[in-house]
Amino acid sequence: QVQLVESGGGLVQAGGSLRLSCAASGRTFSSYALGWFRQAPGKEREFVAGITWRGVNTYYADSVKGRFTISRDNAKNTVYLQMNSLKPEDTAVYYCAATRVDNYYPTLGYEYWYWGQGTQVTVSS
C-alpha cells in the first residue's frame, strides 16, 4: 500500500514557475514508477510526466516537454514536478500516481494503482 500526498500548488502568473511535491508513505516507494496527471474543469484527466522506479528514465506529454521536469528522491520518498514557463492552459488539478511496472512507460490512468488527492494549479494570463 502506498499513500500519496501532493503539495506546492497555487496561483502564478503566466511565464512563472511552480514546483509540485508528492510525498509517499511505504517502505517500497523506490520500487514504484511514478507519474503526474492533471485534470482541468470539463476535461478528461491527462498524463503529464512519468519517471521509472530508478529515476533513470523520464517521459513527458508533448504539451509540457521542455517546460516541465519530473524527478524523484527515493531517500525522501518524494517525487517532484518542476513547472516552468507556465501557461494559462496548464491550469488544472495535478495528481501524482504510483504503479509497479518494468521496462514500460505507463501513460494511462488505469495503469496506475495509487493516487494522491490532487493540488490545484492556477495560471493567470
Side-chain angles (χ1 to χ4, degrees):
Q1 187 80 10
V2 175
Q3 293 185 328
L4 304 169
V5 179
E6 302 95 336
S7 61
L11 174 64
V12 63
Q13 289 189 332
S17 298
L18 280 176
R19 188 176 82 154
L20 305 183
S21 299
C22 176
S25 65
R27 294 174 295 176
T28 58
F29 171 81
S30 61
S31 65
Y32 285 85
L34 301 165
W36 285 96
F37 288 75
R38 67 186 181 187
Q39 187 167 20
K43 294 187 177 182
E44 293 187 352
R45 181 178 57 194
E46 64 175 355
F47 170 79
V48 175
I51 187 167
T52 54
W53 66 277
R54 290 180 177 174
V56 173
N57 297 109
T58 59
Y59 50 106
Y60 301 90
D62 288 343
S63 59
V64 306
K65 204 171 292 184
R67 299 188 299 122
F68 290 11
T69 302
I70 187 172
S71 61
R72 67 189 294 166
D73 186 338
N74 287 341
K76 295 182 178 180
N77 279 14
T78 301
V79 60
Y80 305 97
L81 185 67
Q82 178 66 43
M83 305 185 296
N84 299 329
S85 302
L86 283 162
K87 305 175 181 180
E89 51 264 43
D90 294 319
T91 295
V93 177
Y94 283 72
Y95 300 89
C96 67
T99 188
R100 272 186 166 169
V101 294
D102 279 328
N103 300 315
Y104 180 65
Y105 303 139
T107 62
L108 301 176
Y110 70 81
E111 296 176 304
Y112 285 82
W113 300 359
Y114 304 107
W115 293 82
Q117 84 290 346
T119 185
Q120 176 71 47
V121 171
T122 302
V123 184
S124 63
S125 57

Coordinates of all heavy atoms in Angstrom, one line a residue, residues 71-123:
S71 N 11.2 14.5 -11.3 CA 12.4 13.9 -10.6 C 11.9 13.3 -9.4 O 10.8 13.5 -8.9 CB 13.4 15.0 -10.3 OG 12.9 16.0 -9.4
R72 N 12.8 12.4 -8.8 CA 12.4 11.7 -7.6 C 13.6 11.7 -6.6 O 14.7 11.6 -7.1 CB 11.8 10.4 -7.9 CG 12.8 9.4 -8.4 CD 12.1 8.1 -8.9 NE 11.6 7.4 -7.8 CZ 10.7 6.4 -7.9 NH1 10.3 6.0 -9.2 NH2 10.2 5.7 -6.9
D73 N 13.3 11.6 -5.4 CA 14.3 11.4 -4.3 C 13.8 10.2 -3.5 O 13.0 10.4 -2.6 CB 14.5 12.7 -3.5 CG 15.6 12.6 -2.5 OD1 16.0 11.4 -2.1 OD2 16.1 13.6 -2.0
N74 N 14.4 9.1 -3.8 CA 13.9 7.9 -3.1 C 14.3 7.9 -1.6 O 13.6 7.2 -0.8 CB 14.5 6.6 -3.8 CG 13.8 6.3 -5.1 OD1 12.7 6.8 -5.4 ND2 14.5 5.6 -5.9
A75 N 15.3 8.6 -1.2 CA 15.7 8.7 0.2 C 14.6 9.5 1.0 O 14.4 9.3 2.2 CB 17.0 9.3 0.3
K76 N 13.9 10.4 0.3 CA 12.9 11.2 0.9 C 11.5 10.7 0.6 O 10.5 11.4 0.9 CB 13.0 12.7 0.5 CG 14.3 13.3 1.0 CD 14.4 14.8 0.6 CE 15.7 15.4 1.1 NZ 15.8 16.9 0.8
N77 N 11.4 9.6 -0.2 CA 10.1 9.1 -0.6 C 9.2 10.2 -1.3 O 8.0 10.4 -1.0 CB 9.3 8.6 0.5 CG 9.7 7.1 0.9 OD1 10.7 6.7 0.4 ND2 8.9 6.5 1.7
T78 N 9.9 11.0 -2.2 CA 9.2 12.2 -2.8 C 9.5 12.2 -4.3 O 10.6 12.0 -4.7 CB 9.6 13.5 -2.1 OG1 9.4 13.4 -0.7 CG2 8.9 14.7 -2.7
V79 N 8.4 12.6 -5.0 CA 8.6 12.9 -6.4 C 8.2 14.3 -6.6 O 7.3 14.9 -5.9 CB 7.7 11.9 -7.3 CG1 6.2 12.1 -6.9 CG2 7.9 12.2 -8.8
Y80 N 8.9 15.0 -7.6 CA 8.7 16.4 -7.8 C 8.3 16.6 -9.3 O 8.6 15.8 -10.2 CB 10.0 17.2 -7.6 CG 10.6 16.9 -6.2 CD1 11.6 16.0 -6.0 CD2 10.1 17.7 -5.1 CE1 12.1 15.8 -4.7 CE2 10.6 17.5 -3.9 CZ 11.6 16.6 -3.7 OH 12.1 16.4 -2.4
L81 N 7.6 17.8 -9.5 CA 7.3 18.2 -10.8 C 7.7 19.7 -10.9 O 7.0 20.5 -10.3 CB 5.9 18.0 -11.2 CG 5.5 18.4 -12.7 CD1 6.2 17.4 -13.6 CD2 4.0 18.4 -12.9
Q82 N 8.8 20.0 -11.5 CA 9.2 21.4 -11.7 C 8.5 21.9 -13.0 O 8.7 21.4 -14.0 CB 10.7 21.5 -11.8 CG 11.2 22.9 -12.1 CD 10.9 23.9 -10.9 OE1 11.2 23.5 -9.7 NE2 10.5 25.1 -11.2
M83 N 7.7 23.0 -12.8 CA 7.0 23.5 -13.9 C 7.4 25.0 -14.2 O 7.3 25.8 -13.3 CB 5.5 23.5 -13.6 CG 5.0 22.2 -13.2 SD 3.2 22.1 -12.9 CE 3.0 23.2 -11.6
N84 N 8.0 25.2 -15.4 CA 8.5 26.5 -15.8 C 7.7 27.0 -17.0 O 7.0 26.2 -17.6 CB 10.0 26.4 -16.2 CG 10.8 26.0 -15.0 OD1 10.5 26.3 -13.8 ND2 11.9 25.3 -15.3
S85 N 7.8 28.3 -17.2 CA 7.1 28.9 -18.4 C 5.7 28.5 -18.4 O 5.1 28.1 -19.5 CB 7.8 28.5 -19.7 OG 9.2 28.8 -19.7
L86 N 5.0 28.6 -17.3 CA 3.6 28.2 -17.2 C 2.7 29.0 -18.1 O 2.9 30.2 -18.3 CB 3.2 28.2 -15.7 CG 3.7 27.1 -14.9 CD1 3.6 27.4 -13.4 CD2 2.9 25.8 -15.2
K87 N 1.7 28.3 -18.6 CA 0.7 28.9 -19.5 C -0.7 28.8 -18.8 O -0.9 27.9 -18.0 CB 0.7 28.2 -20.8 CG 2.0 28.2 -21.5 CD 2.0 27.4 -22.8 CE 3.3 27.3 -23.5 NZ 3.2 26.4 -24.7
P88 N -1.6 29.7 -19.2 CA -3.0 29.5 -18.6 C -3.6 28.2 -18.9 O -4.3 27.7 -18.1 CB -3.8 30.6 -19.4 CG -2.7 31.7 -19.7 CD -1.5 30.9 -20.0
E89 N -3.2 27.5 -20.0 CA -3.8 26.2 -20.3 C -3.2 25.1 -19.4 O -3.6 24.0 -19.5 CB -3.6 25.9 -21.8 CG -2.2 26.0 -22.3 CD -2.0 27.4 -23.0 OE1 -2.4 28.4 -22.4 OE2 -1.3 27.4 -24.0
D90 N -2.2 25.4 -18.6 CA -1.7 24.5 -17.6 C -2.6 24.4 -16.3 O -2.3 23.6 -15.5 CB -0.3 24.8 -17.2 CG 0.7 24.7 -18.3 OD1 0.6 23.7 -19.1 OD2 1.6 25.5 -18.5
T91 N -3.5 25.3 -16.3 CA -4.4 25.4 -15.1 C -5.2 24.1 -15.0 O -5.8 23.6 -15.9 CB -5.4 26.5 -15.2 OG1 -4.7 27.8 -15.2 CG2 -6.4 26.5 -14.1
A92 N -5.1 23.4 -13.8 CA -5.7 22.1 -13.6 C -5.4 21.7 -12.2 O -4.6 22.3 -11.4 CB -5.2 21.1 -14.6
V93 N -6.1 20.6 -11.8 CA -5.7 19.9 -10.5 C -4.7 18.9 -11.0 O -4.9 18.1 -11.9 CB -6.9 19.2 -9.9 CG1 -6.5 18.4 -8.7 CG2 -8.0 20.3 -9.5
Y94 N -3.6 18.9 -10.3 CA -2.5 18.0 -10.6 C -2.4 16.8 -9.6 O -2.5 17.1 -8.4 CB -1.2 18.7 -10.6 CG -1.0 19.5 -11.8 CD1 -1.7 20.7 -12.0 CD2 0.0 19.2 -12.8 CE1 -1.5 21.5 -13.2 CE2 0.1 19.9 -14.0 CZ -0.6 21.1 -14.1 OH -0.5 21.8 -15.3
Y95 N -2.3 15.6 -10.1 CA -2.3 14.4 -9.3 C -1.0 13.6 -9.5 O -0.5 13.5 -10.6 CB -3.5 13.5 -9.6 CG -4.8 14.1 -9.5 CD1 -5.4 14.8 -10.5 CD2 -5.5 13.9 -8.3 CE1 -6.7 15.3 -10.4 CE2 -6.8 14.5 -8.1 CZ -7.4 15.2 -9.2 OH -8.6 15.7 -9.0
C96 N -0.5 13.1 -8.4 CA 0.6 12.1 -8.6 C 0.0 10.7 -8.4 O -1.0 10.5 -7.8 CB 1.8 12.4 -7.6 SG 1.4 12.1 -5.9
A97 N 0.7 9.8 -9.1 CA 0.2 8.4 -9.1 C 1.4 7.4 -9.1 O 2.5 7.8 -9.5 CB -0.7 8.1 -10.3
A98 N 1.2 6.2 -8.6 CA 2.3 5.2 -8.5 C 1.8 3.9 -9.1 O 0.6 3.5 -8.9 CB 2.7 5.1 -7.0
T99 N 2.8 3.2 -9.6 CA 2.5 1.8 -10.1 C 3.7 1.0 -10.2 O 4.8 1.6 -10.0 CB 1.9 1.9 -11.6 OG1 1.4 0.6 -12.0 CG2 2.9 2.4 -12.6
R100 N 3.6 -0.3 -10.4 CA 4.8 -1.2 -10.5 C 4.8 -1.8 -11.9 O 4.0 -2.6 -12.2 CB 4.7 -2.3 -9.4 CG 5.3 -1.9 -8.1 CD 5.3 -3.0 -7.1 NE 6.1 -2.7 -6.0 CZ 6.2 -3.5 -4.9 NH1 5.4 -4.5 -4.8 NH2 7.0 -3.2 -3.9
V101 N 5.8 -1.3 -12.6 CA 6.0 -1.9 -14.0 C 7.5 -2.0 -14.2 O 8.3 -1.2 -13.6 CB 5.3 -1.0 -15.1 CG1 3.8 -1.0 -14.9 CG2 5.9 0.4 -15.0
D102 N 7.8 -2.8 -15.2 CA 9.2 -2.9 -15.6 C 9.3 -2.8 -17.1 O 8.4 -3.3 -17.8 CB 9.8 -4.3 -15.2 CG 10.3 -4.3 -13.8 OD1 10.7 -3.2 -13.3 OD2 10.2 -5.4 -13.1
N103 N 10.3 -2.1 -17.6 CA 10.5 -1.9 -19.0 C 9.3 -1.4 -19.7 O 9.0 -1.9 -20.8 CB 10.9 -3.3 -19.6 CG 12.2 -3.7 -18.9 OD1 13.2 -3.0 -18.7 ND2 12.2 -5.0 -18.6
Y104 N 8.6 -0.5 -19.1 CA 7.4 0.1 -19.7 C 7.2 1.5 -19.2 O 7.5 1.7 -18.0 CB 6.2 -0.8 -19.4 CG 4.9 -0.4 -20.0 CD1 4.7 -0.3 -21.3 CD2 3.8 0.0 -19.1 CE1 3.5 0.1 -21.8 CE2 2.6 0.4 -19.6 CZ 2.5 0.5 -21.0 OH 1.3 0.9 -21.5
Y105 N 6.6 2.3 -20.0 CA 6.3 3.7 -19.5 C 4.8 4.0 -19.6 O 4.3 4.4 -20.6 CB 7.1 4.7 -20.5 CG 8.6 4.4 -20.6 CD1 9.2 4.5 -21.8 CD2 9.3 4.1 -19.4 CE1 10.6 4.3 -21.9 CE2 10.7 3.9 -19.5 CZ 11.3 3.9 -20.7 OH 12.7 3.7 -20.8
P106 N 4.2 3.8 -18.5 CA 2.7 3.9 -18.4 C 2.3 5.4 -18.5 O 2.8 6.3 -17.9 CB 2.3 3.3 -17.1 CG 3.5 3.5 -16.2 CD 4.7 3.3 -17.2
T107 N 1.3 5.6 -19.4 CA 0.7 7.0 -19.5 C -0.8 7.0 -19.4 O -1.4 8.1 -19.5 CB 1.1 7.5 -20.9 OG1 0.5 6.7 -21.9 CG2 2.6 7.6 -21.2
L108 N -1.4 5.9 -19.1 CA -2.9 5.9 -19.0 C -3.2 5.7 -17.5 O -2.6 5.0 -16.7 CB -3.4 4.7 -19.8 CG -3.1 4.7 -21.3 CD1 -3.7 3.4 -21.9 CD2 -3.7 5.9 -21.9
G109 N -4.3 6.4 -17.1 CA -4.7 6.4 -15.7 C -4.9 5.1 -15.1 O -4.5 4.8 -14.0
Y110 N -5.5 4.1 -15.9 CA -5.9 2.8 -15.3 C -4.6 2.0 -15.1 O -4.7 1.0 -14.4 CB -6.9 2.1 -16.2 CG -6.3 1.6 -17.5 CD1 -5.6 0.4 -17.6 CD2 -6.6 2.3 -18.7 CE1 -5.1 0.0 -18.8 CE2 -6.1 1.9 -19.9 CZ -5.3 0.7 -19.9 OH -4.9 0.3 -21.2
E111 N -3.5 2.4 -15.6 CA -2.2 1.7 -15.4 C -1.6 2.0 -14.0 O -0.6 1.3 -13.6 CB -1.3 2.0 -16.5 CG -1.8 1.6 -17.9 CD -0.8 2.0 -19.0 OE1 -0.5 3.2 -19.1 OE2 -0.4 1.1 -19.8
Y112 N -2.2 3.0 -13.3 CA -1.6 3.4 -12.0 C -2.5 2.8 -10.9 O -3.7 2.8 -11.0 CB -1.5 4.9 -12.0 CG -0.3 5.4 -12.8 CD1 -0.4 5.6 -14.2 CD2 0.9 5.7 -12.2 CE1 0.7 6.0 -14.9 CE2 2.0 6.1 -12.9 CZ 1.9 6.3 -14.3 OH 3.0 6.7 -15.0
W113 N -1.8 2.4 -9.8 CA -2.5 1.7 -8.7 C -2.9 2.7 -7.7 O -4.0 2.5 -7.0 CB -1.6 0.7 -8.1 CG -1.2 -0.4 -9.0 CD1 -1.5 -0.5 -10.4 CD2 -0.3 -1.5 -8.7 NE1 -0.9 -1.7 -10.9 CE2 -0.2 -2.3 -9.9 CE3 0.3 -1.9 -7.6 CZ2 0.6 -3.4 -9.9 CZ3 1.1 -3.0 -7.6 CH2 1.3 -3.8 -8.8
Y114 N -2.1 3.7 -7.4 CA -2.3 4.6 -6.2 C -2.3 6.0 -6.7 O -1.5 6.4 -7.6 CB -1.3 4.4 -5.1 CG -1.1 3.0 -4.7 CD1 -0.1 2.2 -5.0 CD2 -2.1 2.4 -3.8 CE1 0.1 0.9 -4.6 CE2 -2.0 1.1 -3.4 CZ -0.9 0.3 -3.8 OH -0.8 -1.0 -3.3
W115 N -3.2 6.8 -6.0 CA -3.3 8.2 -6.4 C -3.4 9.1 -5.2 O -3.9 8.7 -4.1 CB -4.7 8.4 -7.2 CG -4.7 7.7 -8.5 CD1 -4.9 6.4 -8.8 CD2 -4.4 8.4 -9.8 NE1 -4.8 6.2 -10.1 CE2 -4.5 7.3 -10.8 CE3 -4.0 9.6 -10.2 CZ2 -4.3 7.6 -12.1 CZ3 -3.8 9.9 -11.5 CH2 -4.0 8.9 -12.5
G116 N -2.8 10.3 -5.4 CA -3.0 11.4 -4.4 C -4.3 12.1 -4.5 O -5.1 11.8 -5.4
Q117 N -4.5 13.1 -3.6 CA -5.8 13.8 -3.6 C -5.8 15.0 -4.6 O -6.9 15.5 -4.8 CB -6.1 14.2 -2.2 CG -5.5 15.6 -1.8 CD -4.0 15.5 -1.6 OE1 -3.4 14.4 -1.5 NE2 -3.3 16.6 -1.5
G118 N -4.7 15.4 -5.0 CA -4.6 16.4 -6.0 C -4.2 17.8 -5.4 O -4.5 18.0 -4.2
T119 N -3.6 18.7 -6.2 CA -3.3 20.0 -5.8 C -3.6 20.9 -6.9 O -3.3 20.6 -8.1 CB -1.8 20.1 -5.3 OG1 -1.6 21.5 -4.8 CG2 -0.9 19.9 -6.4
Q120 N -4.2 22.1 -6.6 CA -4.7 23.0 -7.7 C -3.6 23.9 -8.1 O -2.9 24.5 -7.3 CB -5.8 23.9 -7.1 CG -6.3 24.9 -8.1 CD -7.1 24.3 -9.3 OE1 -8.0 23.5 -9.1 NE2 -6.8 24.8 -10.5
V121 N -3.4 24.0 -9.4 CA -2.5 24.9 -10.1 C -3.3 25.9 -11.0 O -4.1 25.4 -11.8 CB -1.4 24.2 -10.9 CG1 -0.6 25.2 -11.7 CG2 -0.5 23.4 -10.0
T122 N -3.2 27.2 -10.7 CA -3.9 28.1 -11.5 C -2.9 29.1 -12.1 O -2.1 29.7 -11.4 CB -5.0 28.9 -10.6 OG1 -5.9 28.0 -10.1 CG2 -5.7 29.9 -11.5
V123 N -3.0 29.3 -13.4 CA -2.1 30.2 -14.1 C -2.9 31.3 -14.7 O -3.7 31.1 -15.5 CB -1.3 29.5 -15.2 CG1 -0.3 30.4 -15.8 CG2 -0.6 28.2 -14.6

